[in-house]
Amino acid sequence: MARDVAPLEELIEQFERLPGIGHKSAQKLAFYVLNMPEDKLKKFADTLLNSQKLIHRCSVCCDLTDREICSVCSDTKRDPSLICVVENPKDVTAIERTHEYRGTYHVLHGAISPMNGIGPDNITIKELLKRLGDKNVSEIIMATNPTVEGEATAMYISRLIKPFNIKVSRLAYGVPVGADLEYADEVTLAKAIEGRQTM
Amino acid sequence: MARDVAPLEELIEQFERLPGIGHKSAQKLAFYVLNMPEDKLKKFADTLLNSQKLIHRCSVCCDLTDREICSVCSDTKRDPSLICVVENPKDVTAIERTHEYRGTYHVLHGAISPMNGIGPDNITIKELLKRLGDKNVSEIIMATNPTVEGEATAMYISRLIKPFNIKVSRLAYGVPVGADLEYADEVTLAKAIEGRQTM
C-alpha cells in the first residue's frame, strides 16, 4: 500500500492478532479507536494493561478472581466437600447461572490435548490433587466438555483420584431440554437412552 | 453473577463497547488478553494509547498520516491538479490498490447525513474549498460512496465548486449501487475511475 500510515497499520495489525478478528474488522476497530474520546481510549488501554495485574487465579480453585480466594471458595454457605471440575472460567459462569449447584469448583484452564501439545502438566491437575490431600472431599463432579479432549481429561483425572477413594461423577448426557428429538445426533440419543431415569 | 471478578467484567465490557463485538466475543477476547504474554499486552495497550497522538489528518488532504503532509500529497509524481474526493481513509486505500489513479485525494471523513445529524460543517468540505482557492486544480473526481448520503454529498459539493469553474466528475457506476466503496474490487474501481462522467 502506497501510504505511510505505519502506526495505523500497526494498530490494525494489533487488532488482527486477536482471535476471530479478520482484516476488515481490524480496520473497522482501528478507525473506531482513532475516533474514540481520548479519555475513553485511555480507560480502555488502562483496563487492558491492568487486567493481568488485577485478575489472577484463586489460590484454591484456580478460577479467575481479583481476590486471594474467590467469592465461591470463600463463601461459607457453599459445600467445600463437593468439587465440580470444569475446563474454563466461562463454564463456572454457566453453572452458576443455574443457581442449582451449591458446591465449589476447580478450573483446569484447558483440557488434555496431545494434538495441541497440552499435557496433564499444562492444566491445573496437581492443584486439584493437592486439594484432595488437604481437605476431606466427598465427591468430584467431572464437568469437562463432552468432547474427545474433555472426556479424555475426565477419564485421566478420575484414574488419578481412584486412590483417594472419593466418589467421582460425570455430568449426565442426554437430549437438551426444549430441543427437538429429531435433531438430536445419534450419539447423544444413544447416551440419553443408556442413562434413562425411572419416572 | 455470583462471582467477584469486577475487573474481568470491566475488561469484557470494554471489548463489548467496540463495534461488532457481542458479549460472547468480548468474553473470548477478554480471556485471550488475560493469557497474552505481558510484553505483547503492553505493546497492544501502548499502540492503542499512542494511536491518536501518532495518527492525525494530513494538513492538505485530511487523510490519516503520521507526517505533517501524507505520502500521496508529498509525492511529486502525483498530479496535484487532480483531486479525488472520498468519504473515508479506507476509500483511499481501496483506490490506491487499483494502481490506476495518479492524482491526489481529499478525505471528507464522512458524508452529509441529516438523519445522523451530520451536516456540511461536520465533514472537511471547507478544507477542500480552501485547496481550490490556493492551488490551480483542473478536476475534482467525486468518489463518495454510491449511496443516498454519498450522492447527496457529491451533489452538494459539486454545486459549491461551480463558481471555481473546475471540471467536476463522478465515479462511473461501475461500482454496484448501495454497496460500500471499500468492498469494491480493484477492477471495478479502476473501471469506475476510467469511465468517470462530467457532472
Side-chain angles (χ1 to χ4, degrees):
Chain A
M1 193 164 58
R3 301 166 65 197
D4 57 330
V5 282
L8 176 57
E9 294 317 308
E10 172 64 34
L11 181 63
I12 294 173
E13 260 174 41
Q14 286 286 352
F15 276 115
E16 230 174 327
R17 292 208 189 94
L18 300 176
I21 306 282
H23 185 68
K24 285 270 175 230
S25 319
Q27 248 187 352
K28 196 169 89 186
L29 290 169
F31 289 118
Y32 176 83
V33 159
L34 288 173
N35 293 319
M36 250 169 125
E38 200 182 344
D39 58 324
K40 285 213 164 45
L41 178 59
K42 194 173 178 331
K43 180 98 179 62
F44 181 33
D46 290 345
T47 307
L48 286 170
L49 265 177
N50 300 329
S51 59
Q52 292 188 339
K53 294 181 197 70
L54 290 173
I55 306 165
H56 45 75
R57 295 179 178 185
C58 166
S59 60
V60 178
C61 72
C62 300
D63 188 13
L64 294 173
T65 177
D66 54 353
R67 307 190 199 163
E68 166 60 18
I69 294 176
C70 76
S71 59
V72 172
C73 291
S74 55
D75 182 348
T76 54
K77 291 190 299 300
R78 312 280 305 220
D79 177 2
S81 74
L82 197 58
I83 299 180
C84 180
V85 177
V86 296
E87 289 181 27
N88 304 304
K90 274 177 274 194
D91 305 328
V92 174
T93 313
I95 295 178
E96 282 301 292
R97 269 201 301 269
T98 68
H99 302 294
E100 286 288 320
Y101 182 65
R102 303 307 302 155
T104 60
Y105 295 93
H106 189 82
V107 181
L108 295 172
H109 290 280
I112 297 170
S113 169
M115 295 280 288
N116 305 311
I118 301 170
D121 304 341
N122 301 113
I123 58 180
T124 65
I125 291 178
K126 51 181 149 358
E127 287 82 349
L128 174 61
L129 297 180
K130 194 173 158 301
R131 288 176 72 179
L132 305 187
D134 316 336
K135 300 231 181 57
N136 35 26
V137 177
S138 62
E139 180 176 358
I140 304 282
I141 303 171
M142 286 296 167
T144 51
N145 288 327
T147 59
V148 179
E149 290 80 5
E151 280 305 328
T153 308
M155 285 306 300
Y156 181 89
I157 294 176
S158 60
R159 271 202 217 88
L160 287 178
I161 294 173
K162 269 260 178 319
F164 293 88
N165 299 315
I166 296 170
K167 181 185 174 193
V168 179
S169 57
R170 179 85 173 108
L171 282 189
Y173 282 112
V175 283
V177 179
D180 205 324
L181 212 62
E182 71 177 289
Y183 298 125
D185 62 286
E186 32 301 78
V187 185
T188 308
L189 260 179
K191 290 270 188 195
I193 294 164
E194 185 188 313
R196 62 187 180 278
Q197 306 289 328
T198 32
M199 294 177 78
Chain B
M1 192 163 60
R3 301 164 66 195
D4 57 330
V5 282
L8 176 57
E9 295 316 309
E10 171 64 34
L11 181 64
I12 294 173
E13 259 174 42
Q14 286 286 353
F15 276 115
E16 230 173 328
R17 292 207 189 94
L18 299 176
I21 306 282
H23 185 68
K24 282 256 173 261
S25 319
Q27 244 186 356
K28 197 169 88 185
L29 290 169
F31 289 119
Y32 176 83
V33 159
L34 288 173
N35 293 320
M36 251 168 123
E38 200 182 344
D39 58 324
K40 285 212 164 47
L41 178 59
K42 194 176 176 328
K43 180 99 179 61
F44 180 34
D46 291 345
T47 309
L48 285 170
L49 265 178
N50 301 329
S51 59
Q52 292 188 340
K53 295 181 197 70
L54 291 173
I55 306 166
H56 46 74
R57 294 178 178 186
C58 166
S59 60
V60 177
C61 71
C62 301
D63 188 13
L64 294 174
T65 177
D66 53 351
R67 307 190 199 162
E68 166 59 17
I69 295 176
C70 77
S71 61
V72 173
C73 291
S74 54
D75 182 350
T76 53
K77 289 191 300 302
R78 311 281 303 220
D79 177 1
S81 73
L82 197 57
I83 299 178
C84 180
V85 178
V86 296
E87 289 181 27
N88 305 303
K90 274 177 273 193
D91 305 329
V92 173
T93 313
I95 295 178
E96 282 301 293
R97 270 202 304 267
T98 69
H99 303 296
E100 286 285 321
Y101 182 65
R102 302 307 303 155
T104 60
Y105 295 93
H106 189 82
V107 180
L108 295 171
H109 289 281
I112 297 170
S113 169
M115 295 280 289
N116 305 312
I118 301 171
D121 303 342
N122 301 112
I123 58 179
T124 65
I125 291 179
K126 51 180 150 359
E127 288 82 349
L128 174 62
L129 297 179
K130 192 174 159 302
R131 289 176 72 180
L132 305 186
D134 318 334
K135 300 233 181 56
N136 35 25
V137 177
S138 62
E139 180 177 359
I140 304 283
I141 303 170
M142 287 296 167
T144 51
N145 285 327
T147 58
V148 179
E149 288 82 6
E151 282 303 332
T153 308
M155 286 307 300
Y156 180 89
I157 294 176
S158 62
R159 271 201 217 87
L160 287 178
I161 294 172
K162 270 261 177 321
F164 293 89
N165 299 316
I166 296 169
K167 181 185 174 192
V168 180
S169 58
R170 178 80 172 112
L171 281 190
Y173 266 127
V175 280
V177 180
D180 206 318
L181 204 65
E182 65 167 304
Y183 295 110
D185 62 286
E186 294 84 315
V187 186
T188 311
L189 264 173
K191 282 254 169 289
I193 293 167
E194 192 185 304
R196 61 186 183 272
Q197 304 293 326
T198 322
M199 286 177 92

